[in-house]
Amino acid sequence: PPAWRICCGEDFLCAAEGTFINMHVCPTVYQLQQEAPRPKRITCPQEVSASVGLFHGTISRDYADELLAGAEGAYLIRESQRQPGTHTLALRFGHQTLNYRLFYDGKHFVGEKRFESVHDLVTDALITLYIETKAAEYIAKMTTNPIYEHLGYTSLLKDKMVHRLSRGRTEPRRVTFQRDEKISSPLVRRSALKDTPEKQCSYEKIHNFKVHTFRGPHWCEYCANFMWGLIAQGVRCSDCGLNVHKQCSKLVPSDCQPDLRRIKKVFSCDLTTLVKAHNTTRPMVVDMCIREIELRGMKSEGLYRVSGFSEHIEDVRLAFDRDGEKADISASAYADINIIAGALKLYLRDLPIPVITFDLYSKFIQAAKIPNAESRLEAIHENLLQLPPAHYETLRYLMAHLKRVTMFEKDNLMNSENLGIVFGPTLMQPPEQNALTTLNDMRQQKLVVQLIIEHEDVLF
């Protein structure tokens, strides 16, 4: 069926679920939704059929106003006189006729709210108009006294974490990154590196809010107010399930604690989301693959350069997505170590945000272009410190592993430059997927990874 939206510069206030909130916390807005005018379609004996459905043909605004007069919530669709071929929704509200242009894309009217029928669109519009008219001042003050820290997500999160992890700790996991100051390297003598304070970071994560349609009455978990509307009343975090008003989502702190039940897969999952969901410092895929490779593959010729069978690598991916840390990647399951190495590269390559994040990509590329060797390393070091904690720890662990791989170069023929060629495009991807940019930056990508491998003891 066709679906619709109004294009009139509107910004419907959204709503979200908070089932733990008593319904009487905010009876006013809830009652107003019940009192809102109901849509009444004004029909015409000579209606015209078109892709948008039946409408009143080309009639003037004044005539549309006459047809709708005296019936609050009445509506009709007419062809625009000013722009032939376009359609206008005429809606009676507040003793006046409001006119909105409609846009149709063949299936849905494009917009934040996508309606399956004009009737649904008008129902939602009348609710919004009525509430905004009757409770404008109240709506403006909704976020001034949030219950988030007292009754909302924070308290529920603590209970969920204690139950899920069977631990008494409710504070966010903190990870300390500290460089080894005893490494004998020229860089250690330079204050720019030597005096850098240890990196202490919490694994903070922003909420992944998406517009959501809630069934039945719901309340915001940030401000405890009722969320009104027929569809798309608010936003829900797809990682932890937090439900809030759209305007409240801008005020919620970055304290998302992903729920394992909502994490559908391991591969292609955001790095920070995965480690927080599993309460680890690094993704299990990285730990398990590196452990298996170091157990039986360090002397394998062309390690990471030679590809394993793609169908077997896909089997490993499916095993991780299905079984998580219980996935069997032992020699009895996959005798060819190149399959495990290929799975690790696939995991890193498929991250929605690369290990070296999009926003730091250009800084690393520019650092690689610095001619002075020590200044170049200092710039790389500064960039590393700006990585999100989960990305930093993953890269640190991977680089330490690749450094150990180079110690077996006599057998595996893989030095830091070869590994840089392999992992450069895997760990670093330009924000805009432009083939020309990628081609032009390949040398710098390789050099960045090569230098981090060679100096990982100092840079981390």
Side-chain angles (χ1 to χ4, degrees):
W4 308 75
R5 83 169 172 95
I6 292 176
C7 180
C8 59
E10 83 285 3
D11 183 15
F12 289 126
L13 294 175
C14 298
E17 179 180 25
T19 53
F20 63 94
I21 298 297
N22 189 294
M23 180 172 169
H24 299 290
V25 170
C26 179
T28 305
V29 179
Y30 177 79
Q31 291 173 356
L32 288 175
Q33 173 159 315
Q34 306 308 307
E35 298 169 2
R38 297 295 184 262
K40 305 177 186 67
R41 180 170 174 265
I42 303 301
T43 60
C44 173
Q46 297 178 345
E47 282 185 320
V48 181
S49 179
S51 60
V52 296
L54 297 175
F55 70 103
H56 281 245
T58 305
I59 60 175
S60 67
R61 287 193 173 204
D62 291 339
Y63 184 49
D65 189 49
E66 290 180 19
L67 292 174
L68 299 176
E72 195 78 349
Y75 73 93
L76 59 82
I77 302 172
R78 62 182 178 83
E79 184 171 2
S80 174
Q81 285 185 317
R82 297 179 181 178
Q83 295 180 298
T86 64
H87 299 86
T88 298
L89 170 68
L91 172 64
R92 190 73 177 180
F93 178 81
H95 307 294
Q96 61 180 327
T97 299
L98 308 175
N99 293 278
Y100 304 99
R101 184 179 174 187
L102 294 172
F103 293 90
Y104 187 65
D105 64 4
K107 182 179 180 182
H108 292 89
F109 276 75
V110 180
E112 185 175 278
K113 291 194 173 187
R114 299 164 72 86
F115 298 90
E116 294 300 324
S117 69
V118 176
H119 183 85
D120 288 349
L121 180 152
V122 175
T123 301
D124 188 83
L126 289 171
I127 291 171
T128 302
L129 290 168
Y130 189 77
I131 291 175
E132 288 182 344
T133 300
K134 299 291 185 179
E137 184 178 354
Y138 179 81
I139 292 171
K141 296 180 179 180
M142 283 197 317
T143 59
T144 56
N145 295 303
I147 53 93
Y148 187 78
E149 293 293 335
H150 308 290
L151 299 175
Y153 172 76
T154 301
S155 299
L156 292 180
L157 169 62
K158 291 179 180 180
D159 294 338
K160 290 178 181 178
M161 286 294 289
V162 170
H163 176 72
R164 180 162 64 86
L165 301 176
S166 300
R167 298 175 183 172
R169 176 178 56 80
T170 56
E171 293 297 319
R173 182 181 180 91
R174 298 186 66 86
V175 180
T176 300
F177 301 102
Q178 185 173 13
R179 293 180 298 101
D180 188 345
E181 301 292 352
K182 298 180 182 180
I183 301 296
S184 59
S185 167
L187 280 175
V188 177
R189 296 193 296 271
R190 296 183 62 86
S191 60
L193 291 182
K194 184 175 181 179
D195 297 331
T196 301
E198 66 180 18
K199 182 181 178 70
Q200 291 186 330
C201 295
S202 295
Y203 274 51
E204 292 186 351
K205 180 186 180 303
I206 62 174
H207 290 273
N208 185 19
F209 287 119
K210 296 181 179 179
V211 175
H212 189 78
T213 294
F214 300 93
R215 304 301 178 188
H218 292 84
W219 282 259
C220 176
E221 294 180 50
Y222 181 82
C223 71
N225 288 289
F226 176 70
M227 294 90 70
W228 60 91
L230 185 67
I231 69 167
Q233 304 96 332
V235 293
R236 166 177 285 177
C237 177
S238 59
D239 295 332
C240 70
L242 178 66
N243 305 307
V244 295
H245 289 106
K246 181 182 177 182
Q247 66 270 36
C248 289
S249 68
K250 302 172 183 177
L251 304 174
V252 176
S254 299
D255 60 357
C256 177
Q257 178 59 52
D259 189 333
L260 277 175
R261 292 172 298 179
R262 297 180 179 274
I263 306 301
K264 304 300 183 183
K265 54 186 178 180
V266 173
F267 277 61
S268 301
C269 178
D270 172 67
L271 233 174
T272 302
T273 299
L274 190 66
V275 299
K276 283 186 71 71
H278 289 272
N279 198 41
T280 59
T281 56
R282 294 179 302 274
M284 69 184 78
V285 179
V286 175
D287 278 4
M288 292 175 63
C289 288
I290 287 179
R291 188 182 309 123
E292 193 67 25
I293 291 168
E294 295 197 351
L295 179 66
R296 58 187 176 95
M298 297 294 272
K299 295 184 178 182
S300 177
E301 183 176 335
L303 181 63
Y304 288 117
R305 179 174 54 80
V306 176
S307 300
F309 288 112
S310 58
E311 58 267 30
H312 293 165
I313 293 174
E314 179 66 13
D315 287 343
V316 174
R317 183 187 70 81
L318 293 174
F320 274 114
D321 284 342
R322 182 183 62 249
D323 303 325
E325 59 188 10
K326 296 181 180 179
D328 182 9
I329 59 172
S330 64
S332 59
Y334 303 99
D336 184 4
I337 197 62
N338 294 311
I339 295 172
I340 308 304
L344 176 58
K345 289 190 295 180
L346 177 63
Y347 170 77
L348 297 170
R349 185 167 59 249
D350 282 357
L351 288 172
I353 301 176
V355 176
I356 293 178
T357 56
F358 291 126
D359 57 335
L360 291 174
Y361 177 85
S362 60
K363 292 185 177 181
F364 276 95
I365 293 297
Q366 292 305 314
K369 295 179 180 179
I370 297 175
N372 181 270
E374 291 194 352
S375 297
R376 183 168 57 219
L377 285 180
E378 289 174 7
I380 291 175
H381 177 262
E382 290 302 317
N383 293 336
L384 289 173
L385 294 177
Q386 297 179 50
L387 286 171
H391 290 247
Y392 181 96
E393 173 61 15
T394 299
L395 186 61
R396 182 199 66 79
Y397 190 76
L398 177 64
M399 293 298 105
H401 161 67
L402 295 181
K403 182 66 172 288
R404 292 190 290 273
V405 170
T406 64
M407 296 178 182
F408 293 86
E409 179 186 355
K410 182 178 178 181
D411 299 296
N412 59 37
L413 307 181
M414 296 299 290
N415 56 27
S416 59
E417 182 177 6
N418 293 336
L419 291 170
I421 294 173
V422 172
F423 280 93
T426 299
L427 300 175
M428 301 178 63
Q429 300 172 27
E432 298 179 358
Q433 296 299 321
N434 184 294
L436 183 60
T437 300
T438 303
L439 184 63
N440 291 336
D441 293 346
M442 284 184 65
R443 181 176 178 277
Q444 285 75 34
Q445 291 174 346
K446 183 267 294 183
L447 184 58
V448 167
V449 175
Q450 176 183 345
L451 292 173
I452 297 177
I453 293 173
E454 293 174 352
H455 302 280
E456 60 85 22
D457 51 355
V458 174
L459 294 175
F460 294 100

